Amino acid sequence: MNQENQCPPQTNPFKPEPARIVRTYYLTEDVKFFQVRIADMEKALSFRYKPGQFAMISVLGAGEAPFSISSTPSRPGLLEFCIRKAGVVTDALFRLKENHLIGIRGPYGNGFPIQNMKNHNVLIIMGGIGAAPLRSVLLNCLDNRDQFQKVTLLHGAKRPAEMIFRDEFFDIKDREDLECHLSVDQDDTGEWSENIGVVTTLFPKMEKIDPQQTYALVCGPPVMYKFVLQELLKLKIPRDQILMTLERRMKCGVGKCGHCAIDYIYTCLDGPVFTYWDVLHMRELI
Amino acid sequence: MRIVKLKQKNLNPFLEVISENTELWAPVRKYTDRHVFAQVEDVSQIDVDYTRTILPPRKIFLPPSFNMFTATEKEYKENFSHATKKILFGIHPCDIHGLLIMDQFFNYVFEDPYYTQARNNTLLLGHSCWPDEHCFCKSTRTHIIEEGYDLFFHRLSEDYLVWIGSSKGDDLIRLMPDCFEEKLSDEDIQFYIRLREQRNEAFQTEVNFTAMPDLMELKYNHPLWEKIGTACLACGSCTNVCPTCNCYNVMDHPQLKERGSLIHRDWDTCTLQSYSEVAGGENFREKRSDRLKLWYTHKIQAYISKYGKPGCVGCGRCIATCPVDINVKTVSQALDGKDVDAFWNRLNKGEIK
Ligand SMILES: Cc1cc2nc3c(=O)[nH]c(=O)nc-3n(C[C@H](O)[C@H](O)[C@H](O)COP(=O)(O)OP(=O)(O)OC[C@H]3O[C@@H](n4cnc5c(N)ncnc54)[C@H](O)[C@@H]3O)c2cc1C
Ligand code: SF4
Ligand code: SF4
Ligand code: FES
């Protein structure tokens, strides 16, 4: 065969970079935390991303799937993910121990509009696995605290044991520069010191904010959106300042495989972060 | 642009010479009356008297299934064995337009090296054609081609007029300079012009896409979609034959002996139920009608707004292929408010049981 044909291209966006699992532990019964370092040191340090972007993770023998980056770009070198067991790829990931190699490529997607959010209030509302992308924004805001006005976190879970990043959020909840409200639907431990009730019961507890000066970021299970959006509209936050992420099937992350299409849009290129205004105008949304 | 003349009898000797060290792909006959693009060992296998091949030429650039990586834990080793040096002879204008659309798509934001490497390694030698009852490339203005080929062969009665479209094409001509005449006679030119006019008049199918972006929007919830949805067999033929369909799936195939995997990239079809399913079994396009809407949004609405022209080049393959007559022609006519004569429409009227 002709040698010339075999020379690989300069860059291959589909090529996973080997990365090592540095740390992994359970956050809840079915969600695990993964701290990962790209094996090639230079590549590890030059991996630049924005909160809200995602990476494709591959496990040899199982396949590849998209996951939000949970760490913050303000702490380079290590990438963190928070992954729920859901099927073939995630099952295989859960079986891997520290020091194992996985493949990683990215970052992909638009991410949150951090530049526009500067000098505004940032209201973060998370539920379930929605904590994955929003933890990145939260940590980024706290690391660059002077760039933002008021930062508020509302976090809901069914039970205390199901609250993702519970320990971490308890550690920061009393910070002066953060307003943090945690809630569980039911307390089956009898030891829960915070609010009890669905996440929307946290809204009346929030200090008043100027809605025009606020970006609200919502990520959580489908049921959560409906009620949280109503509250945000009541607060008069403009619809194009309400941000959310959409989940679609993704096989490439770079706009080629077609799976993530919604109408005109490729979620992997034009999303996964959309404003509520964008979402209202998508015909295919259920 | 330089145009030269070649005697028809010299075509095969020319193809033999230029393909001495390169794979030659061309239309060959299959199953009595169908044609496919295939690698030819002997130029006498080539049959230029064809209207459309079963599968579009994109199968040469991104084969229906190929290996992207041979992977071990330490490395995903790239495999570009599909991107060999090739000459593709006999491709028609609509299919060249199809490739130009794919070129834009596969270079949009990220470059897809599996496509571009194969594309860069392939010379395109076009051939003129004559429309049958399904061709409507004149409506999509893809019946003539001004760019994108290395050579283009227009067949006259005994000669070919050969358009030289690139310096690589010119290099091919130079391999057999004596066969090509630089001087064209007035008769040749007149013959070519007459042929062109006659061909323009030979089109029997017209499809007007101008209003489609608006109509797709206005009739998004029209009962028409349910009608075609009930008739669709979800067989995926329409996407496989379309020269501008790009969707694919990636599968990891573990190789037990080598303790590694082959990462395969396979054509996928948006009309299949599993296409949009996400983890946990949730599906955003459970119904066939929803999946067909995506296909038509893509072809006759999204492409127009993104690239300024439809993602359809009028090749007629979906018309010739769909077993229940769901195709760009019947769907756009129905969107236009016409009562079309199509299997899916008769089925819904109860004329077929
Ligand atoms: C932008 C985005 C961000 C996300 N962020 C997160 C996050 O932070 N945390 C989280 O938990 N989830 C996240 N998800 C969801 C996550 O991608 C899914 O949970 C995951 O795809 C489930 O994969 P699975 O293989 O375990 O599940 P399955 O349902 O088994 O399969 C899902 C996908 O894997 C493919 N697959 C199966 N077998 C193979 C194989 N042999 N080779 C190749 N592919 C195969 C399937 O075709 C399918 O596409 C995100 C999704 C998106 C779109
Ligand atoms: S539209 Fe026709 S060709 Fe396409 S999947 Fe349905 S039945 Fe098959
Ligand atoms: S939509 Fe039909 S006619 Fe148009 S390019 Fe595709 S297969 Fe050909
Ligand atoms: S994930 Fe492949 S196109 Fe978006």
Side-chain angles (χ1 to χ4, degrees):
Chain A
M1 196 173 292
N2 197 322
Q3 277 286 300
E4 214 175 320
N5 304 326
Q6 291 301 307
C7 82
Q10 294 287 305
T11 53
N12 183 345
F14 304 107
K15 188 177 161 125
E17 248 333 287
R20 207 168 281 287
I21 299 177
V22 179
R23 231 147 64 97
T24 173
Y25 51 84
Y26 280 92
L27 286 170
T28 70
E29 203 178 310
D30 63 347
V31 178
K32 247 180 150 175
F33 178 75
F34 290 86
Q35 203 175 42
V36 171
R37 178 187 279 122
I38 294 177
D40 180 321
M41 224 23 188
E42 271 173 23
K43 286 186 180 144
L45 290 169
S46 56
F47 191 99
R48 294 213 174 172
Y49 63 95
K50 294 204 309 189
Q53 285 193 298
F54 64 94
M56 297 294 288
I57 293 187
S58 43
V59 183
L60 193 72
E64 200 177 33
F67 298 98
S68 306
I69 304 173
S70 265
S71 45
T72 161
S74 46
R75 303 173 199 175
L78 289 170
L79 295 170
E80 291 167 350
F81 299 91
C82 147
I83 296 176
R84 195 183 56 206
K85 197 167 170 155
V88 181
V89 177
T90 47
D91 281 358
L93 261 174
F94 268 51
R95 284 195 296 272
L96 297 183
K97 307 235 154 48
E98 283 161 11
N99 240 352
H100 254 100
L101 285 173
I102 55 171
I104 199 161
R105 58 188 181 91
Y108 299 129
N110 55 357
F112 288 101
I114 295 290
Q115 282 305 326
N116 300 346
M117 285 157 55
K118 282 190 180 158
N119 300 316
H120 286 72
N121 304 315
V122 178
L123 167 58
I124 296 172
I125 304 150
M126 55 171 86
I129 200 76
L134 288 182
R135 174 179 180 258
S136 178
V137 189
L138 178 69
L139 297 183
N140 187 65
C141 287
L142 294 179
D143 283 354
N144 300 288
R145 191 61 193 85
D146 52 340
Q147 294 177 1
F148 302 91
Q149 298 296 319
K150 213 169 154 31
V151 179
T152 311
L153 168 65
L154 309 184
H155 185 19
K158 280 209 197 80
R159 298 176 297 122
E162 285 178 34
M163 180 167 278
I164 294 166
F165 297 121
R166 185 188 57 216
D167 296 345
E168 190 173 317
F169 292 152
F170 264 90
D171 280 349
I172 55 171
K173 89 177 165 45
D174 296 324
R175 274 175 72 141
E176 298 259 302
D177 56 358
L178 170 72
E179 186 184 345
C180 176
H181 298 283
L182 307 174
S183 187
V184 292
D185 297 355
Q186 307 162 5
D187 174 26
D188 50 2
T189 60
E191 287 168 13
W192 182 252
S193 53
E194 306 296 304
N195 187 66
I196 297 180
V198 293
V199 76
T200 41
T201 59
L202 294 174
F203 277 84
K205 299 185 186 287
M206 260 169 55
E207 278 172 42
K208 215 172 144 33
I209 40 174
D210 176 0
Q212 293 296 330
Q213 289 302 312
T214 302
Y215 275 90
L217 285 56
V218 196
C219 249
V223 282
M224 197 186 101
Y225 282 101
K226 201 173 144 207
F227 297 105
V228 167
L229 285 169
Q230 281 171 3
E231 294 295 327
L232 294 173
L233 293 178
K234 264 193 246 161
L235 285 179
K236 301 215 156 37
I237 297 180
R239 278 175 293 193
D240 58 356
Q241 284 170 214
I242 300 176
L243 304 163
M244 46 180 69
T245 66
L246 295 184
E247 188 175 317
R248 280 294 180 277
R249 186 173 176 135
M250 291 186 178
K251 299 301 302 189
C252 75
V254 291
K256 308 300 178 208
C257 77
H259 282 91
C260 68
I262 310 176
D263 300 341
Y264 288 19
I265 291 161
Y266 277 149
T267 317
C268 66
L269 293 179
D270 307 308
V273 176
F274 293 97
T275 67
Y276 182 45
W277 174 258
D278 292 332
V279 170
L280 279 176
H281 292 84
M282 289 177 191
R283 297 168 309 189
E284 280 203 300
L285 224 67
I286 44 168
Chain B
M1 187 76 62
R2 205 153 67 90
I3 301 166
V4 293
K5 194 161 98 174
L6 174 75
K7 290 248 168 306
Q8 279 183 24
K9 67 176 168 52
N10 284 333
L11 176 68
N12 278 354
F14 173 67
L15 292 176
E16 247 164 39
V17 167
I18 62 172
S19 61
E20 212 156 89
N21 299 311
T22 314
E23 288 174 27
L24 178 64
W25 287 67
V28 300
R29 194 176 283 267
K30 196 169 184 180
Y31 322 118
T32 66
D33 63 339
R34 312 289 299 275
H35 286 82
V36 294
F37 285 115
Q39 187 179 350
V40 295
E41 300 300 336
D42 181 346
V43 292
S44 67
Q45 292 171 273
I46 300 173
D47 182 6
V48 291
D49 287 308
Y50 81 102
T51 312
R52 66 180 67 78
T53 53
I54 302 174
L55 292 182
R58 66 184 165 90
K59 74 163 191 185
I60 296 163
F61 304 94
L62 293 170
S65 179
F66 68 92
N67 186 25
M68 295 174 88
F69 299 101
T70 304
T72 60
E73 231 179 34
K74 292 215 168 58
E75 197 195 2
Y76 281 72
K77 203 167 173 320
E78 294 154 303
N79 184 324
F80 281 90
S81 55
H82 73 292
T84 46
K85 285 227 178 288
K86 293 184 187 75
I87 290 174
L88 171 56
F89 170 75
I91 177 172
H92 289 167
C94 63
D95 277 344
I96 301 179
H97 277 285
L99 288 175
L100 295 178
I101 290 176
M102 294 281 90
D103 289 352
Q104 274 184 306
F105 179 85
F106 283 114
N107 282 294
Y108 185 72
V109 190
F110 290 90
E111 180 192 313
D112 182 339
Y114 293 93
Y115 176 80
T116 50
Q117 290 249 338
R119 191 72 172 85
N120 293 341
N121 278 340
T122 305
L123 297 181
L124 296 185
L125 276 50
H127 192 285
S128 53
C129 53
W130 203 260
D132 73 357
E133 73 273 23
H134 299 319
C135 295
F136 63 96
C137 52
K138 199 174 141 225
S139 311
T140 48
R141 290 199 211 94
T142 48
H143 60 313
I144 41 175
I145 183 85
E146 275 145 10
E147 51 161 358
Y149 54 81
D150 297 287
L151 294 175
F152 196 96
F153 293 77
H154 273 285
R155 185 161 57 173
L156 307 184
S157 64
E158 276 158 32
D159 302 296
Y160 274 110
L161 290 189
V162 184
W163 267 245
I164 303 173
S166 74
S167 84
K168 281 187 182 142
D170 197 57
D171 293 343
L172 294 180
I173 301 278
R174 282 169 205 278
L175 291 175
M176 263 182 112
D178 299 344
C179 283
F180 292 87
E181 287 170 53
E182 295 286 335
K183 210 168 144 18
L184 313 182
S185 69
D186 277 351
E187 286 97 89
D188 293 333
I189 297 171
Q190 283 313 315
F191 191 93
Y192 168 73
I193 292 172
R194 258 201 325 280
L195 203 65
R196 213 176 128 139
E197 280 164 4
Q198 284 167 3
R199 178 172 174 261
N200 278 346
E201 271 148 36
F203 283 92
Q204 303 158 44
T205 297
E206 220 187 290
V207 175
N208 188 350
F209 287 140
T210 334
M212 284 310 139
D214 267 356
L215 286 177
M216 282 296 297
E217 204 66 48
L218 289 165
K219 297 203 174 169
Y220 197 74
N221 295 314
H222 197 273
L224 151 76
W225 295 108
E226 288 308 318
K227 287 188 192 169
I228 63 171
T230 348
C232 174
L233 310 168
C235 67
S237 307
C238 49
T239 63
N240 283 337
V241 301
C242 181
T244 65
C245 272
N246 59 274
C247 292
Y248 67 83
N249 210 348
V250 181
M251 284 305 272
D252 180 313
H253 297 281
Q255 307 295 298
L256 294 179
K257 262 201 226 129
E258 292 84 3
R259 303 199 64 207
S261 283
L262 299 179
I263 312 294
H264 278 197
R265 172 162 165 178
D266 310 319
W267 285 9
D268 200 359
T269 288
C270 61
T271 56
L272 300 185
Q273 179 164 14
S274 60
Y275 182 80
S276 305
E277 215 169 69
V278 296
E282 183 157 9
N283 198 325
F284 301 97
R285 296 186 195 92
E286 193 78 55
K287 292 196 307 201
R288 287 176 195 192
S289 55
D290 292 338
R291 304 200 290 273
L292 286 169
K293 263 187 212 177
L294 175 71
W295 202 76
Y296 285 96
T297 302
H298 210 132
K299 295 283 169 212
I300 58 180
Q301 187 179 25
Y303 260 87
I304 298 180
S305 36
K306 209 164 192 167
Y307 302 115
K309 53 187 181 195
C312 169
V313 295
C315 73
R317 284 188 180 88
C318 58
I319 307 179
T321 306
C322 175
V324 296
D325 296 340
I326 300 169
N327 56 55
V328 269
K329 180 175 126 186
T330 60
V331 171
S332 50
Q333 287 174 345
L335 280 169
D336 224 351
K338 296 197 181 75
D339 183 25
V340 292
D341 177 27
F343 182 93
W344 60 262
N345 204 11
R346 297 198 293 276
L347 182 78
N348 275 281
K349 288 184 191 160
E351 290 169 23
I352 298 163
K353 295 258 158 36

